[in-house]
Amino acid sequence: EPEVTQTPSHQVTQMGQEVILRCVPISNHLYFYWYRQILGQKVEFLVSFYNNEISEKSEIFDDQFSVERPDGSNFTLKIRSTKLEDSAMYFCASSLTSGGDTQYFGPGTRLTVL
Amino acid sequence: GEDVEQSLFLSVREGDSSVINCTYTDSSSTYLYWYKQEPGAGLQLLTYIFSNMDMKQDQRLTVLLNKKDKHLSLRIADTQTGDSAIYFCAEIRASSASKIIFGSGTRLSIRP
């Protein structure tokens, strides 16, 4: 069964450094998402992406964050200058259509900012 | 607000039924979901229900939706040790086609 994959599984970085989290969505999916879960808190929506554009973003997704689909398979989340409070599990998801269509989640990348 | 609320823990005996409850605040919810998260794994969609339905059954899983009270439940029949996980209630609203709003998750533990 097709699945969403994410790399790395765990990323440790120093405060102020840039990180890029990578995702490979399911191959025929057209909509892509990032969510995050700070330890002990809810899973929160960050951004959705369709047709090479951001279609929706949350208040969390400020200028420090960016997303890109650099080729036909990868979907990345970049954090330009990490802060301690960016430490979280970051989940990528994809869906074939939007409007409630099932979003399939990857296993997550645990980001630790020191 | 954006509240989807769940109790944090549930412990059931193996073989019994588990009932995980969830309340939500927005009456414009279009889809309501139950996701399962096992340790070290991603979020696995278990089942979903359209807002115009009041019940959905899928093998051992039964979802009940009470729109009037904004209450969603997930019943797992004949609970097994493999059902140990965190269960997230979630919704999508009419105002957003892409943003899933999650509850805090209920940790289900199974005792022998």
PDB file of all heavy atoms in Angstrom, chain B residues 75-110:
ATOM      1  N   ARG B  75     -16.471   3.381  19.314  1.00  0.00           N
ATOM      2  CA  ARG B  75     -16.564   2.151  20.094  1.00  0.00           C
ATOM      3  C   ARG B  75     -15.739   1.083  19.391  1.00  0.00           C
ATOM      4  O   ARG B  75     -15.901   0.845  18.191  1.00  0.00           O
ATOM      5  CB  ARG B  75     -18.012   1.699  20.231  1.00  0.00           C
ATOM      6  CG  ARG B  75     -18.196   0.389  21.001  1.00  0.00           C
ATOM      7  CD  ARG B  75     -19.684   0.073  21.167  1.00  0.00           C
ATOM      8  NE  ARG B  75     -19.894  -1.162  21.886  1.00  0.00           N
ATOM      9  CZ  ARG B  75     -20.017  -2.356  21.303  1.00  0.00           C
ATOM     10  NH1 ARG B  75     -19.965  -2.466  19.994  1.00  0.00           N
ATOM     11  NH2 ARG B  75     -20.206  -3.445  22.031  1.00  0.00           N
ATOM     12  N   ILE B  76     -14.856   0.460  20.162  1.00  0.00           N
ATOM     13  CA  ILE B  76     -14.059  -0.649  19.654  1.00  0.00           C
ATOM     14  C   ILE B  76     -14.553  -1.898  20.369  1.00  0.00           C
ATOM     15  O   ILE B  76     -14.422  -2.013  21.597  1.00  0.00           O
ATOM     16  CB  ILE B  76     -12.554  -0.447  19.927  1.00  0.00           C
ATOM     17  CG1 ILE B  76     -12.079   0.895  19.377  1.00  0.00           C
ATOM     18  CG2 ILE B  76     -11.747  -1.594  19.320  1.00  0.00           C
ATOM     19  CD1 ILE B  76     -10.650   1.251  19.776  1.00  0.00           C
ATOM     20  N   ALA B  77     -15.129  -2.806  19.611  1.00  0.00           N
ATOM     21  CA  ALA B  77     -15.629  -4.044  20.209  1.00  0.00           C
ATOM     22  C   ALA B  77     -14.477  -5.031  20.406  1.00  0.00           C
ATOM     23  O   ALA B  77     -13.491  -5.017  19.654  1.00  0.00           O
ATOM     24  CB  ALA B  77     -16.698  -4.656  19.317  1.00  0.00           C
ATOM     25  N   ASP B  78     -14.601  -5.878  21.441  1.00  0.00           N
ATOM     26  CA  ASP B  78     -13.628  -6.940  21.674  1.00  0.00           C
ATOM     27  C   ASP B  78     -12.198  -6.382  21.625  1.00  0.00           C
ATOM     28  O   ASP B  78     -11.362  -6.797  20.817  1.00  0.00           O
ATOM     29  CB  ASP B  78     -13.816  -8.050  20.636  1.00  0.00           C
ATOM     30  CG  ASP B  78     -12.943  -9.262  20.894  1.00  0.00           C
ATOM     31  OD1 ASP B  78     -12.558  -9.481  22.067  1.00  0.00           O
ATOM     32  OD2 ASP B  78     -12.631  -9.990  19.926  1.00  0.00           O
ATOM     33  N   THR B  79     -11.916  -5.439  22.494  1.00  0.00           N
ATOM     34  CA  THR B  79     -10.627  -4.741  22.483  1.00  0.00           C
ATOM     35  C   THR B  79      -9.470  -5.708  22.685  1.00  0.00           C
ATOM     36  O   THR B  79      -9.505  -6.561  23.585  1.00  0.00           O
ATOM     37  CB  THR B  79     -10.610  -3.665  23.580  1.00  0.00           C
ATOM     38  OG1 THR B  79     -11.790  -2.869  23.477  1.00  0.00           O
ATOM     39  CG2 THR B  79      -9.399  -2.770  23.417  1.00  0.00           C
ATOM     40  N   GLN B  80      -8.453  -5.549  21.840  1.00  0.00           N
ATOM     41  CA  GLN B  80      -7.272  -6.411  21.882  1.00  0.00           C
ATOM     42  C   GLN B  80      -6.041  -5.598  22.265  1.00  0.00           C
ATOM     43  O   GLN B  80      -6.037  -4.374  22.184  1.00  0.00           O
ATOM     44  CB  GLN B  80      -7.058  -7.054  20.504  1.00  0.00           C
ATOM     45  CG  GLN B  80      -8.247  -7.861  20.005  1.00  0.00           C
ATOM     46  CD  GLN B  80      -8.547  -9.041  20.911  1.00  0.00           C
ATOM     47  OE1 GLN B  80      -7.652  -9.826  21.228  1.00  0.00           O
ATOM     48  NE2 GLN B  80      -9.804  -9.160  21.332  1.00  0.00           N
ATOM     49  N   THR B  81      -4.968  -6.303  22.641  1.00  0.00           N
ATOM     50  CA  THR B  81      -3.748  -5.605  23.035  1.00  0.00           C
ATOM     51  C   THR B  81      -3.205  -4.741  21.899  1.00  0.00           C
ATOM     52  O   THR B  81      -2.608  -3.689  22.119  1.00  0.00           O
ATOM     53  CB  THR B  81      -2.665  -6.578  23.500  1.00  0.00           C
ATOM     54  OG1 THR B  81      -2.463  -7.556  22.480  1.00  0.00           O
ATOM     55  CG2 THR B  81      -3.082  -7.285  24.781  1.00  0.00           C
ATOM     56  N   GLY B  82      -3.448  -5.163  20.670  1.00  0.00           N
ATOM     57  CA  GLY B  82      -2.995  -4.380  19.521  1.00  0.00           C
ATOM     58  C   GLY B  82      -3.744  -3.078  19.333  1.00  0.00           C
ATOM     59  O   GLY B  82      -3.355  -2.249  18.510  1.00  0.00           O
ATOM     60  N   ASP B  83      -4.811  -2.894  20.093  1.00  0.00           N
ATOM     61  CA  ASP B  83      -5.554  -1.639  20.019  1.00  0.00           C
ATOM     62  C   ASP B  83      -4.942  -0.560  20.907  1.00  0.00           C
ATOM     63  O   ASP B  83      -5.385   0.591  20.879  1.00  0.00           O
ATOM     64  CB  ASP B  83      -7.016  -1.868  20.435  1.00  0.00           C
ATOM     65  CG  ASP B  83      -7.769  -2.781  19.473  1.00  0.00           C
ATOM     66  OD1 ASP B  83      -7.509  -2.704  18.252  1.00  0.00           O
ATOM     67  OD2 ASP B  83      -8.598  -3.586  19.953  1.00  0.00           O
ATOM     68  N   SER B  84      -3.931  -0.920  21.684  1.00  0.00           N
ATOM     69  CA  SER B  84      -3.261   0.069  22.530  1.00  0.00           C
ATOM     70  C   SER B  84      -2.628   1.144  21.658  1.00  0.00           C
ATOM     71  O   SER B  84      -1.806   0.849  20.786  1.00  0.00           O
ATOM     72  CB  SER B  84      -2.167  -0.595  23.375  1.00  0.00           C
ATOM     73  OG  SER B  84      -2.718  -1.465  24.308  1.00  0.00           O
ATOM     74  N   ALA B  85      -3.019   2.372  21.874  1.00  0.00           N
ATOM     75  CA  ALA B  85      -2.547   3.480  21.034  1.00  0.00           C
ATOM     76  C   ALA B  85      -3.158   4.771  21.572  1.00  0.00           C
ATOM     77  O   ALA B  85      -3.927   4.760  22.534  1.00  0.00           O
ATOM     78  CB  ALA B  85      -2.959   3.272  19.578  1.00  0.00           C
ATOM     79  N   ILE B  86      -2.819   5.853  20.902  1.00  0.00           N
ATOM     80  CA  ILE B  86      -3.509   7.120  21.160  1.00  0.00           C
ATOM     81  C   ILE B  86      -4.518   7.325  20.034  1.00  0.00           C
ATOM     82  O   ILE B  86      -4.172   7.172  18.850  1.00  0.00           O
ATOM     83  CB  ILE B  86      -2.530   8.301  21.225  1.00  0.00           C
ATOM     84  CG1 ILE B  86      -1.517   8.086  22.351  1.00  0.00           C
ATOM     85  CG2 ILE B  86      -3.286   9.614  21.442  1.00  0.00           C
ATOM     86  CD1 ILE B  86      -0.431   9.159  22.413  1.00  0.00           C
ATOM     87  N   TYR B  87      -5.731   7.669  20.399  1.00  0.00           N
ATOM     88  CA  TYR B  87      -6.808   7.869  19.424  1.00  0.00           C
ATOM     89  C   TYR B  87      -7.170   9.352  19.381  1.00  0.00           C
ATOM     90  O   TYR B  87      -7.505   9.957  20.400  1.00  0.00           O
ATOM     91  CB  TYR B  87      -8.031   7.023  19.805  1.00  0.00           C
ATOM     92  CG  TYR B  87      -7.768   5.548  19.616  1.00  0.00           C
ATOM     93  CD1 TYR B  87      -7.084   4.826  20.588  1.00  0.00           C
ATOM     94  CD2 TYR B  87      -8.173   4.884  18.468  1.00  0.00           C
ATOM     95  CE1 TYR B  87      -6.800   3.481  20.411  1.00  0.00           C
ATOM     96  CE2 TYR B  87      -7.909   3.538  18.276  1.00  0.00           C
ATOM     97  CZ  TYR B  87      -7.221   2.848  19.251  1.00  0.00           C
ATOM     98  OH  TYR B  87      -6.941   1.509  19.076  1.00  0.00           O
ATOM     99  N   PHE B  88      -7.099   9.899  18.179  1.00  0.00           N
ATOM    100  CA  PHE B  88      -7.386  11.318  17.988  1.00  0.00           C
ATOM    101  C   PHE B  88      -8.721  11.497  17.279  1.00  0.00           C
ATOM    102  O   PHE B  88      -8.952  10.927  16.208  1.00  0.00           O
ATOM    103  CB  PHE B  88      -6.302  11.991  17.144  1.00  0.00           C
ATOM    104  CG  PHE B  88      -4.966  12.098  17.814  1.00  0.00           C
ATOM    105  CD1 PHE B  88      -4.012  11.114  17.648  1.00  0.00           C
ATOM    106  CD2 PHE B  88      -4.665  13.192  18.610  1.00  0.00           C
ATOM    107  CE1 PHE B  88      -2.768  11.209  18.263  1.00  0.00           C
ATOM    108  CE2 PHE B  88      -3.433  13.301  19.227  1.00  0.00           C
ATOM    109  CZ  PHE B  88      -2.477  12.311  19.061  1.00  0.00           C
ATOM    110  N   CYS B  89      -9.547  12.303  17.869  1.00  0.00           N
ATOM    111  CA  CYS B  89     -10.754  12.787  17.228  1.00  0.00           C
ATOM    112  C   CYS B  89     -10.356  14.021  16.414  1.00  0.00           C
ATOM    113  O   CYS B  89      -9.490  14.795  16.840  1.00  0.00           O
ATOM    114  CB  CYS B  89     -11.739  13.161  18.339  1.00  0.00           C
ATOM    115  SG  CYS B  89     -13.220  14.014  17.849  1.00  0.00           S
ATOM    116  N   ALA B  90     -10.947  14.206  15.246  1.00  0.00           N
ATOM    117  CA  ALA B  90     -10.565  15.347  14.411  1.00  0.00           C
ATOM    118  C   ALA B  90     -11.732  15.753  13.523  1.00  0.00           C
ATOM    119  O   ALA B  90     -12.655  14.968  13.286  1.00  0.00           O
ATOM    120  CB  ALA B  90      -9.344  14.993  13.564  1.00  0.00           C
ATOM    121  N   GLU B  91     -11.677  16.970  13.032  1.00  0.00           N
ATOM    122  CA  GLU B  91     -12.756  17.469  12.190  1.00  0.00           C
ATOM    123  C   GLU B  91     -12.209  18.354  11.081  1.00  0.00           C
ATOM    124  O   GLU B  91     -11.114  18.907  11.180  1.00  0.00           O
ATOM    125  CB  GLU B  91     -13.756  18.276  13.021  1.00  0.00           C
ATOM    126  CG  GLU B  91     -13.143  19.494  13.688  1.00  0.00           C
ATOM    127  CD  GLU B  91     -14.162  20.425  14.318  1.00  0.00           C
ATOM    128  OE1 GLU B  91     -15.372  20.295  14.044  1.00  0.00           O
ATOM    129  OE2 GLU B  91     -13.729  21.320  15.070  1.00  0.00           O
ATOM    130  N   ILE B  92     -13.005  18.452  10.031  1.00  0.00           N
ATOM    131  CA  ILE B  92     -12.800  19.473   9.000  1.00  0.00           C
ATOM    132  C   ILE B  92     -14.080  20.288   8.948  1.00  0.00           C
ATOM    133  O   ILE B  92     -15.177  19.733   9.001  1.00  0.00           O
ATOM    134  CB  ILE B  92     -12.457  18.851   7.633  1.00  0.00           C
ATOM    135  CG1 ILE B  92     -10.947  18.609   7.551  1.00  0.00           C
ATOM    136  CG2 ILE B  92     -12.906  19.724   6.480  1.00  0.00           C
ATOM    137  CD1 ILE B  92     -10.439  18.200   6.205  1.00  0.00           C
ATOM    138  N   ARG B  93     -13.915  21.585   8.825  1.00  0.00           N
ATOM    139  CA  ARG B  93     -15.066  22.475   8.828  1.00  0.00           C
ATOM    140  C   ARG B  93     -15.350  22.999   7.427  1.00  0.00           C
ATOM    141  O   ARG B  93     -14.466  22.999   6.565  1.00  0.00           O
ATOM    142  CB  ARG B  93     -14.814  23.645   9.780  1.00  0.00           C
ATOM    143  CG  ARG B  93     -14.633  23.184  11.207  1.00  0.00           C
ATOM    144  CD  ARG B  93     -14.245  24.296  12.122  1.00  0.00           C
ATOM    145  NE  ARG B  93     -14.080  23.790  13.491  1.00  0.00           N
ATOM    146  CZ  ARG B  93     -13.625  24.506  14.491  1.00  0.00           C
ATOM    147  NH1 ARG B  93     -13.308  25.768  14.305  1.00  0.00           N
ATOM    148  NH2 ARG B  93     -13.511  23.978  15.690  1.00  0.00           N
ATOM    149  N   ALA B  94     -16.549  23.490   7.254  1.00  0.00           N
ATOM    150  CA  ALA B  94     -16.943  24.030   5.955  1.00  0.00           C
ATOM    151  C   ALA B  94     -16.075  25.230   5.564  1.00  0.00           C
ATOM    152  O   ALA B  94     -15.868  25.497   4.379  1.00  0.00           O
ATOM    153  CB  ALA B  94     -18.412  24.434   5.994  1.00  0.00           C
ATOM    154  N   SER B  95     -15.553  25.950   6.560  1.00  0.00           N
ATOM    155  CA  SER B  95     -14.770  27.161   6.275  1.00  0.00           C
ATOM    156  C   SER B  95     -13.383  26.850   5.743  1.00  0.00           C
ATOM    157  O   SER B  95     -12.697  27.744   5.239  1.00  0.00           O
ATOM    158  CB  SER B  95     -14.645  28.000   7.559  1.00  0.00           C
ATOM    159  OG  SER B  95     -14.064  27.234   8.590  1.00  0.00           O
ATOM    160  N   SER B  96     -12.962  25.598   5.851  1.00  0.00           N
ATOM    161  CA  SER B  96     -11.620  25.251   5.389  1.00  0.00           C
ATOM    162  C   SER B  96     -11.638  23.876   4.755  1.00  0.00           C
ATOM    163  O   SER B  96     -12.056  22.917   5.385  1.00  0.00           O
ATOM    164  CB  SER B  96     -10.642  25.248   6.559  1.00  0.00           C
ATOM    165  OG  SER B  96      -9.437  24.599   6.189  1.00  0.00           O
ATOM    166  N   ALA B  97     -11.162  23.810   3.530  1.00  0.00           N
ATOM    167  CA  ALA B  97     -11.201  22.527   2.829  1.00  0.00           C
ATOM    168  C   ALA B  97     -10.022  21.638   3.167  1.00  0.00           C
ATOM    169  O   ALA B  97     -10.004  20.478   2.772  1.00  0.00           O
ATOM    170  CB  ALA B  97     -11.218  22.784   1.330  1.00  0.00           C
ATOM    171  N   SER B  98      -9.046  22.181   3.891  1.00  0.00           N
ATOM    172  CA  SER B  98      -7.828  21.396   4.027  1.00  0.00           C
ATOM    173  C   SER B  98      -7.326  21.231   5.457  1.00  0.00           C
ATOM    174  O   SER B  98      -6.537  20.348   5.727  1.00  0.00           O
ATOM    175  CB  SER B  98      -6.717  22.013   3.188  1.00  0.00           C
ATOM    176  OG  SER B  98      -6.520  23.376   3.515  1.00  0.00           O
ATOM    177  N   LYS B  99      -7.813  22.025   6.362  1.00  0.00           N
ATOM    178  CA  LYS B  99      -7.228  22.053   7.702  1.00  0.00           C
ATOM    179  C   LYS B  99      -7.966  21.095   8.616  1.00  0.00           C
ATOM    180  O   LYS B  99      -9.143  21.289   8.920  1.00  0.00           O
ATOM    181  CB  LYS B  99      -7.326  23.478   8.229  1.00  0.00           C
ATOM    182  CG  LYS B  99      -6.928  23.694   9.654  1.00  0.00           C
ATOM    183  CD  LYS B  99      -7.152  25.162   9.973  1.00  0.00           C
ATOM    184  CE  LYS B  99      -7.034  25.450  11.436  1.00  0.00           C
ATOM    185  NZ  LYS B  99      -7.314  26.886  11.690  1.00  0.00           N
ATOM    186  N   ILE B 100      -7.287  20.057   9.057  1.00  0.00           N
ATOM    187  CA  ILE B 100      -7.864  19.144  10.040  1.00  0.00           C
ATOM    188  C   ILE B 100      -7.565  19.699  11.423  1.00  0.00           C
ATOM    189  O   ILE B 100      -6.436  20.085  11.727  1.00  0.00           O
ATOM    190  CB  ILE B 100      -7.278  17.726   9.892  1.00  0.00           C
ATOM    191  CG1 ILE B 100      -7.664  17.110   8.552  1.00  0.00           C
ATOM    192  CG2 ILE B 100      -7.778  16.845  11.031  1.00  0.00           C
ATOM    193  CD1 ILE B 100      -7.116  15.704   8.341  1.00  0.00           C
ATOM    194  N   ILE B 101      -8.587  19.730  12.258  1.00  0.00           N
ATOM    195  CA  ILE B 101      -8.438  20.191  13.639  1.00  0.00           C
ATOM    196  C   ILE B 101      -8.517  18.963  14.527  1.00  0.00           C
ATOM    197  O   ILE B 101      -9.515  18.227  14.494  1.00  0.00           O
ATOM    198  CB  ILE B 101      -9.526  21.208  14.005  1.00  0.00           C
ATOM    199  CG1 ILE B 101      -9.388  22.438  13.105  1.00  0.00           C
ATOM    200  CG2 ILE B 101      -9.416  21.611  15.480  1.00  0.00           C
ATOM    201  CD1 ILE B 101     -10.582  23.356  13.150  1.00  0.00           C
ATOM    202  N   PHE B 102      -7.468  18.759  15.318  1.00  0.00           N
ATOM    203  CA  PHE B 102      -7.349  17.554  16.123  1.00  0.00           C
ATOM    204  C   PHE B 102      -7.696  17.818  17.582  1.00  0.00           C
ATOM    205  O   PHE B 102      -7.445  18.898  18.116  1.00  0.00           O
ATOM    206  CB  PHE B 102      -5.911  17.015  16.082  1.00  0.00           C
ATOM    207  CG  PHE B 102      -5.552  16.340  14.792  1.00  0.00           C
ATOM    208  CD1 PHE B 102      -5.061  17.068  13.721  1.00  0.00           C
ATOM    209  CD2 PHE B 102      -5.698  14.972  14.654  1.00  0.00           C
ATOM    210  CE1 PHE B 102      -4.723  16.446  12.532  1.00  0.00           C
ATOM    211  CE2 PHE B 102      -5.357  14.335  13.471  1.00  0.00           C
ATOM    212  CZ  PHE B 102      -4.878  15.068  12.404  1.00  0.00           C
ATOM    213  N   GLY B 103      -8.215  16.791  18.227  1.00  0.00           N
ATOM    214  CA  GLY B 103      -8.301  16.786  19.672  1.00  0.00           C
ATOM    215  C   GLY B 103      -6.948  16.423  20.265  1.00  0.00           C
ATOM    216  O   GLY B 103      -5.981  16.170  19.544  1.00  0.00           O
ATOM    217  N   SER B 104      -6.897  16.384  21.574  1.00  0.00           N
ATOM    218  CA  SER B 104      -5.623  16.142  22.260  1.00  0.00           C
ATOM    219  C   SER B 104      -5.259  14.666  22.310  1.00  0.00           C
ATOM    220  O   SER B 104      -4.152  14.320  22.683  1.00  0.00           O
ATOM    221  CB  SER B 104      -5.673  16.718  23.670  1.00  0.00           C
ATOM    222  OG  SER B 104      -6.818  16.246  24.332  1.00  0.00           O
ATOM    223  N   GLY B 105      -6.178  13.808  21.939  1.00  0.00           N
ATOM    224  CA  GLY B 105      -5.882  12.378  21.909  1.00  0.00           C
ATOM    225  C   GLY B 105      -6.239  11.684  23.207  1.00  0.00           C
ATOM    226  O   GLY B 105      -6.078  12.239  24.296  1.00  0.00           O
ATOM    227  N   THR B 106      -6.715  10.457  23.091  1.00  0.00           N
ATOM    228  CA  THR B 106      -7.020   9.602  24.241  1.00  0.00           C
ATOM    229  C   THR B 106      -6.102   8.401  24.191  1.00  0.00           C
ATOM    230  O   THR B 106      -6.078   7.671  23.197  1.00  0.00           O
ATOM    231  CB  THR B 106      -8.487   9.130  24.210  1.00  0.00           C
ATOM    232  OG1 THR B 106      -9.354  10.259  24.276  1.00  0.00           O
ATOM    233  CG2 THR B 106      -8.777   8.184  25.366  1.00  0.00           C
ATOM    234  N   ARG B 107      -5.339   8.218  25.258  1.00  0.00           N
ATOM    235  CA  ARG B 107      -4.439   7.065  25.315  1.00  0.00           C
ATOM    236  C   ARG B 107      -5.222   5.864  25.835  1.00  0.00           C
ATOM    237  O   ARG B 107      -5.695   5.879  26.987  1.00  0.00           O
ATOM    238  CB  ARG B 107      -3.238   7.349  26.208  1.00  0.00           C
ATOM    239  CG  ARG B 107      -2.232   6.201  26.239  1.00  0.00           C
ATOM    240  CD  ARG B 107      -1.045   6.534  27.124  1.00  0.00           C
ATOM    241  NE  ARG B 107      -0.262   7.646  26.587  1.00  0.00           N
ATOM    242  CZ  ARG B 107       0.698   7.520  25.685  1.00  0.00           C
ATOM    243  NH1 ARG B 107       0.990   6.330  25.196  1.00  0.00           N
ATOM    244  NH2 ARG B 107       1.368   8.584  25.280  1.00  0.00           N
ATOM    245  N   LEU B 108      -5.355   4.859  24.986  1.00  0.00           N
ATOM    246  CA  LEU B 108      -6.076   3.644  25.352  1.00  0.00           C
ATOM    247  C   LEU B 108      -5.093   2.582  25.802  1.00  0.00           C
ATOM    248  O   LEU B 108      -4.171   2.231  25.051  1.00  0.00           O
ATOM    249  CB  LEU B 108      -6.888   3.127  24.151  1.00  0.00           C
ATOM    250  CG  LEU B 108      -7.636   1.807  24.357  1.00  0.00           C
ATOM    251  CD1 LEU B 108      -8.712   1.947  25.430  1.00  0.00           C
ATOM    252  CD2 LEU B 108      -8.258   1.337  23.044  1.00  0.00           C
ATOM    253  N   SER B 109      -5.259   2.107  27.029  1.00  0.00           N
ATOM    254  CA  SER B 109      -4.413   1.014  27.500  1.00  0.00           C
ATOM    255  C   SER B 109      -5.290  -0.194  27.802  1.00  0.00           C
ATOM    256  O   SER B 109      -6.433  -0.058  28.261  1.00  0.00           O
ATOM    257  CB  SER B 109      -3.602   1.426  28.721  1.00  0.00           C
ATOM    258  OG  SER B 109      -4.447   1.734  29.794  1.00  0.00           O
ATOM    259  N   ILE B 110      -4.741  -1.357  27.531  1.00  0.00           N
ATOM    260  CA  ILE B 110      -5.489  -2.611  27.668  1.00  0.00           C
ATOM    261  C   ILE B 110      -4.882  -3.407  28.811  1.00  0.00           C
ATOM    262  O   ILE B 110      -3.663  -3.636  28.844  1.00  0.00           O
ATOM    263  CB  ILE B 110      -5.388  -3.443  26.369  1.00  0.00           C
ATOM    264  CG1 ILE B 110      -5.584  -2.563  25.126  1.00  0.00           C
ATOM    265  CG2 ILE B 110      -6.383  -4.609  26.408  1.00  0.00           C
ATOM    266  CD1 ILE B 110      -6.873  -1.831  25.067  1.00  0.00           C
TER     267      ILE B 110
END
